[in-house]
Structure formats: structure tokens, C-alpha cells
């Protein structure tokens, strides 16, 4: 794709500028010669033909907007001359066939993961500390202070100060000079090398602002989400703090865990403060339960597992005008490869599927799933309109600045993450992935709410495409950042894992890039390479309260 402009689909009547294009330049598309009437910024679009007021505008072969002003051929497509429009859809399917990609390069490949008793395999091995209500967040903080740094796990500080070393020197009668020359600084990296439990990747502290107040449905949803985290294969066990009087009761969480895994054998320790002798006693018990849990979790080692055990979350955020033509379709090809290998990719962010609903409905294997997706999308759209913020308000200022000017344009590119394979399951928020194949999961487009939901539905690894850059991570599922352009990869290399900008330059095809993505996924899943989000300790966790969030 090393040209200076591209028509993504033969049906498109707008063209993408791969590089900045100057006024007066003549371009040829499908035998049509167009002279640019103005400068076209990189990632933005221009009209291939004259568009009258009310004319439909197509990109990716789908309706993405309507002209609100006359647009001459060669003029830029902007928020001033185009408004959002998306195709209508219904719950009737037109079954489409699918040809799986060639997976011979990956046949027999495995990843080294943590095998759980329920047959799932984790890409990581974490212990969770969870409050059932925001009232217990302080106790979570106390537990983190008592355990994380001492056991060699990540700390919010860039380094640790070992004052104990100076105390020992003083008690031993050392001179002032000896005390001054005693090393007391330990870096994050040095701390992690000295972990007491090398087979436990960390202790994750999932603070939140829910569990009481709000609606009863919010607390029920929170418990189902937390149950999804506890039963996620990346988790060995959990310590749960309860105040006692909150809406999100211990029994509610236990029922939610049982609904996911009736024979769950993971150790989960429940501590209720209102039944404790004192706060100090509560913390003492929590520390001891957690420590013993870590001892047991450390007995597990990584062993080979088939790629069919990967449940891959598909996410995007900070998207730009290249996301839908490089990073997203490349991830979509990796998704198709994983489906062909027996794995389970999960496409979320329902507000960012606006305009491609019918395509996804047609790909549903079961009629019940097509109707469920139709119902969820209609309900979500209706709720957004009811508060005065329909899907058309989804693109952010950053999206618009970098060429994504309507929600349907953004959505058509975002949906490419899901590849082309059949949809075998449609899940509402907190429902679990339970079989191989592509799933659709109802979450907001909000990056952290969505990644939080993906991990809560069973994803053991997530790939996050971005055109503008984002540090987002997740407490339990490694999040890999995939850039849509090389400039971003080079400028924000400290937080970006893979560069799909090579698709734009022509150094990679969608297919070759997709294979590279899957190869990198396998390395991270095996613990050979750490994702940048894990290295930086990005543990973003925001439960969705089911209100309108785009």
C-alpha cells in the first residue's frame, strides 16, 4: 500500500490520502482522473466524484455518511460537508460462506501457559485482591502496601529505598562513612528479579467505586464481572474484602462464580469487616490468607498448550485514519488464523459496530445469536438517543482530527478487527466465552470499560490497535498495543508493542502482518516477551454500570 492514495473498496466514492496531497495534483482511480481542488491532509479523504446535497457517501463499501453541502470531485471530506449516516439492518440473516486462511505455519505450534483444573489455560498467573464495595478500598491499599513491594511485585514507585540496610549498619556500630557508602536503592527491575514466588506474575488489586448505592442491577453486574475475573484462567485465586452491609453481598459473588463454574476449585478467601474483631485483625487474616494462596499458586509452572486455548480480546482506541486499513484488518487476519486453529477471538465495543450490523448478523451461525445481536444493538442505540447522545456522537476530537469524521466511518474500520469468520456466539456484558470461534461481546466503546469487560468474559490476552497512542492495560490479561502507523510506533515505542505501519509503507501485506501479530501473541502468552502495558504496570479497571457510555 505504498501509493500516496487508496480506494479501499471498489464501491467507495471517497479516497484516502496515504500521504499529504497538494492542491492541483491529478489522481487516477478506476480510470477516473481527478484534480485536487484543495490540499488533502494525510489520513483524510477526498471526493472521487461530485456529490450533491443528500448523496450517500461510501467507504469500506458501506454507507458512512451523507453530503450536507455540494462537494466537488477532488475536495476534502469534512465535518462541515458530511453528516453521519449508517445502513439500516434487520434480524434476518443471509448466510455467508467462509474460507479459512492457510494456517500451515502455525500447525503444531503451542504456547506455554498455566493449566487450570477446569481445562482452561492462562497466559499469566495472578492472585487477586478484590473489594465488594468501595468502602473497602482503603483495606485493599493497606494490603498492597504490606505485600507488593516486599514480595518483589510491581510498585507505583520507580524504585524502593531500603532503610533497613542503614538501620542494620547503625546497630552493628558502622561508621558514618560506612553508612553513607551502603547501597539502599533497588529498581523495579531488580525487585522483580528477587520475587519470592517466581511462578506468580503478580498480585492485582481491583479497586472500584461500586458495590453499594446506585442500582441493585449495578451490584449484580459487578459481582458477575468479578466472578469472571476470579474464574479467568490467568487467575490462581482471590482475597475478597466485604464490609457486610453493601448491596454486593458475598453470597451474590459466590452464586456468580458458581454460575460460571459450578465446580470451581480455586481458593477464594472472604473477609467481612463488620464480623471481624478489629480492622487490624482483618488485615492480619487477609495478609496470611493471601500469602498462603501465593505459596500454592507458585507450585504451578508453565506447560505447553495448543493455540486453541487462546481467548483473544480485540480492542481499539485512539483510532486514526489508518486504523481501518492497517492495524485493524491485520488484527482481523490474525483473528481468522486463530479461529482456524480452534481459538476464540472476541470483538467488543458495540457503539463502534454502527453501520456494519447487517454484515455481522449475516455471519451469525445461529439464528438466536443474530436476533440477540439485533436486540442488543437496538436497545443500546435507543438508550443513547434517549439521553441525547446517539452513536453519531461517538468519534472523539482526536478521531476527527486524524480523519475519522463519522461514527459509521470509524465503526466500519473498527469492525475489521473481527476478521471475516462466522460469529458463533453473541454475549451480553459479563457473559462468558464457552466455545471456539468468533464472539461478539456487548461493551461500551470506552477503552477501559471495554478491556475490563473482555477480561471479565474470559479473554486471556488482548490486542489493542491504536493510531494516536494509549497506555491502557488490564490487571490480568496482557494487553498488546498495535500501532496503525510507523510514526506513532517510533515516537511512542515505550508503550507500543507491534507496528502495523509497515502495511501502509508496503513492507507488509495484511496477511503477513497478521501472521506477525499471531506470532507475537504466542510469545507473550508463553511469558517469553512482556507486553509494554505489563512492564509499565497499566492495571486499568473500570466496571461498566450499564448506563449509556459510548
Amino acid at each position: 500500500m505504498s501509493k500516496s492514495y487508496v480506494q479501499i473498496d471498489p464501491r467507495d466514492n471517497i479516497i484516502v490520502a496515504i500521504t499529504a496531497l497538494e492542491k492541483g495534483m491529478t489522481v487516477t482511480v478506476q480510470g477516473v482522473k481527478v484534480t485536487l481542488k484543495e490540499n488533502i491532509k494525510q489520513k483524510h479523504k477526498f471526493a472521487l466524484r461530485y456529490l450533491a446535497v443528500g448523496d450517500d457517501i461510501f467507504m469500506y463499501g458501506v454507507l458512512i455518511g451523507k453530503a450536507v453541502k455540494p462537494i466537488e470531485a477532488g475536495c476534502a471530506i469534512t465535518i462541515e460537508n458530511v453528516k453521519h449516516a449508517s445502513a439500516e439492518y434487520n434480524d434476518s440473516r443471509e448466510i455467508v460462506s467462509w474460507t479459512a486462511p492457510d494456517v500451515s505455519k502455525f500447525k503444531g505450534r503451542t504456547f506455554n501457559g498455566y493449566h487450570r483444573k477446569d481445562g482452561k489455560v492462562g497466559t499469566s498467573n495472578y492472585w487477586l485482591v478484590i473489594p465488594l464495595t468501595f468502602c473497602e478500598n482503603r483495606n485493599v491499599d493497606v494490603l498492597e502496601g504490606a505485600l507488593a513491594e516486599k514480595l518483589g511485585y510491581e510498585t507505583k514507585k520507580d524504585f524502593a529505598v531500603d532503610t533497613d540496610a542503614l538501620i542494620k549498619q547503625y546497630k552493628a556500630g558502622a561508621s558514618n562513612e560506612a553508612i553513607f557508602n551502603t547501597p539502599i536503592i533497588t529498581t523495579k527491575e531488580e525487585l522483580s528479579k528477587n520475587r519470592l514466588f517466581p511462578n506468580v506474575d503478580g498480585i492485582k488489586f481491583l479497586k472500584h467505586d461500586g458495590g453499594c448505592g446506585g442500582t441493585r442491577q449495578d451490584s449484580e453486574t459487578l459481582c458477575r464481572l468479578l466472578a469472571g475475573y476470579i474464574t479467568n484462567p490467568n487467575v490462581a485465586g482471590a482475597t475478597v474484602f466485604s464490609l457486610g452491609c453493601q448491596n454486593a453481598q458475598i453470597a451474590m459473588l459466590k452464586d456468580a462464580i458458581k454460575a460460571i463454574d459450578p465446580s470451581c476449585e480455586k481458593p477464594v478467601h472472604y473477609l467481612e469487616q463488620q464480623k471481624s474483631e478489629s480492622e487490624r485483625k482483618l488485615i492480619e487474616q487477609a495478609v496470611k490468607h493471601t500469602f498462603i494462596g501465593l505459596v500454592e499458586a507458585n507450585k504451578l509452572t508453565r506447560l505447553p498448550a495448543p493455540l486453541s486455548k487462546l481467548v483473544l480480546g480485540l480492542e481499539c482506541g485512539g483510532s486514526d485514519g489508518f486504523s481501518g486499513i492497517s492495524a485493524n484488518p491485520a488484527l482481523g487476519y490474525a483473528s481468522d488464523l486463530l479461529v482456524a486453529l480452534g481459538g476464540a477471538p472476541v470483538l467488543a465495543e458495540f457503539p463502534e459496530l454502527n453501520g456494519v450490523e447487517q454484515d455481522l448478523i449475516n455471519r451469525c451461525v445461529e439464528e438466536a445469536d443474530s436476533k440477540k445481536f439485533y436486540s442488543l444493538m437496538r436497545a443500546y442505540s435507543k438508550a443513547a438517543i434517549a439521553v441525547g447522545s446517539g452513536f453519531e456522537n461517538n468519534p472523539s476530537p482526536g478521531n476527527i482530527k486524524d480523519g475519522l469524521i463519522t461514527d459509521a466511518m470509524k465503526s466500519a474500520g473498527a469492525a475489521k478487527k473481527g476478521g471475516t469468520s462466522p460469529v458463533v456466539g453473541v454475549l451480553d456484558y459479563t457473559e462468558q466465552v464457552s466455545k471456539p470461534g468468533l464472539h461478539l461481546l456487548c461493551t461500551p466503546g470506552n477503552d477501559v470499560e471495554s478491556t475490563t469487560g473482555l477480561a471479565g468474559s474470559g479473554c486471556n490476552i488482548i490486542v489493542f490497535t491504536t493510531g494516536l497512542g494509549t497506555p491502557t492495560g488490564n490487571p490480568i490479561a496482557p494487553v498488546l498495543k498495535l500501532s496503525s502507523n510507523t510514526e506513532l510506533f517510533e515516537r511512542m515505542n515505550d508503550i507500543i508493542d507491534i507496528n502495523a505501519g509497515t502495511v501502509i509503507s508496503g513492507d507488509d501485506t495484511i496477511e503477513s502482518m497478521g501472521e506477525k501479530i499471531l506470532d507475537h501473541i504466542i510469545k507473550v502468552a508463553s511469558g517469553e516477551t512482556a507486553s509494554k502495558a505489563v512492564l509499565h504496570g497499566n492495571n486499568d479497571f473500570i466496571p461498566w454500570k450499564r448506563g449509556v457510555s459510548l
Side-chain angles (χ1 to χ4, degrees), residues 189-393:
E189 292 73 22
E190 289 169 332
L191 280 170
S192 64
K193 289 177 183 176
N194 297 320
R195 285 180 184 170
L196 183 61
F197 304 113
N199 294 327
V200 180
D201 294 301
I203 312 169
K204 299 298 183 175
F205 304 87
L206 306 187
K207 293 189 295 182
H208 55 81
D209 63 357
C212 204
T215 67
R216 296 299 184 269
Q217 289 81 4
D218 284 342
S219 293
E220 292 167 1
T221 300
L222 176 64
C223 284
R224 291 196 299 271
L225 178 72
L226 296 177
Y229 271 69
I230 291 169
T231 57
N232 187 292
N234 290 0
V235 171
T239 302
V240 179
F241 282 109
S242 168
L243 178 59
C245 57
Q246 74 277 350
N247 292 335
Q249 289 285 300
I250 290 175
M252 191 183 294
L253 177 58
K254 287 182 176 180
D255 288 344
I257 293 171
K258 189 175 181 180
I260 296 172
D261 183 2
S263 58
C264 181
E265 297 182 33
K266 290 183 180 180
V268 182
H269 304 290
Y270 299 93
L271 300 156
E272 190 161 293
Q273 186 163 10
Q274 289 173 347
K275 291 182 178 179
S276 180
E277 295 175 23
S278 66
E279 190 173 85
R280 291 182 181 180
K281 189 67 175 178
L282 180 81
I283 295 300
E284 180 184 8
Q285 291 177 334
V287 169
K288 291 176 179 177
H289 279 307
T290 303
F291 192 91
I292 292 170
L294 293 168
V295 170
E296 294 303 309
N298 192 55
K299 294 177 181 177
L300 204 62
T301 58
R302 289 183 182 269
L303 295 170
L307 301 186
S308 59
K309 295 296 184 179
L310 291 174
V311 183
L312 172 64
L314 308 170
E315 180 69 23
C316 64
S319 300
D320 72 343
F322 285 164
S323 292
I325 59 179
S326 61
N328 289 344
L331 178 56
Y333 189 76
S335 169
D336 286 347
L337 289 171
L338 188 59
V339 169
L341 292 162
V346 185
L347 179 63
E349 301 179 287
F350 274 24
E352 297 185 7
L353 300 178
N354 178 220
V356 295
E357 295 95 341
Q358 195 63 55
D359 172 68
L360 292 168
I361 286 170
N362 292 342
R363 287 164 59 184
C364 287
V365 174
E366 301 294 337
E367 183 179 10
D369 282 321
S370 65
K371 292 186 179 299
K372 183 175 182 179
F373 178 65
Y374 174 88
S375 176
L376 286 169
M377 285 297 293
R378 289 293 189 196
Y380 206 144
S381 177
K382 184 179 179 181
I385 292 169
V387 296
S389 188
F391 287 165
E392 68 273 10
N393 295 311

Side-chain angles (χ1 to χ4, degrees), residues 7-14 30 49 58-62:
Q7 182 186 42
I8 298 172
D9 187 278
R11 294 166 289 184
D12 295 354
N13 53 11
I14 60 175
Q30 291 187 350
R49 299 177 178 84
F58 293 89
M59 185 175 169
Y60 303 103
V62 300

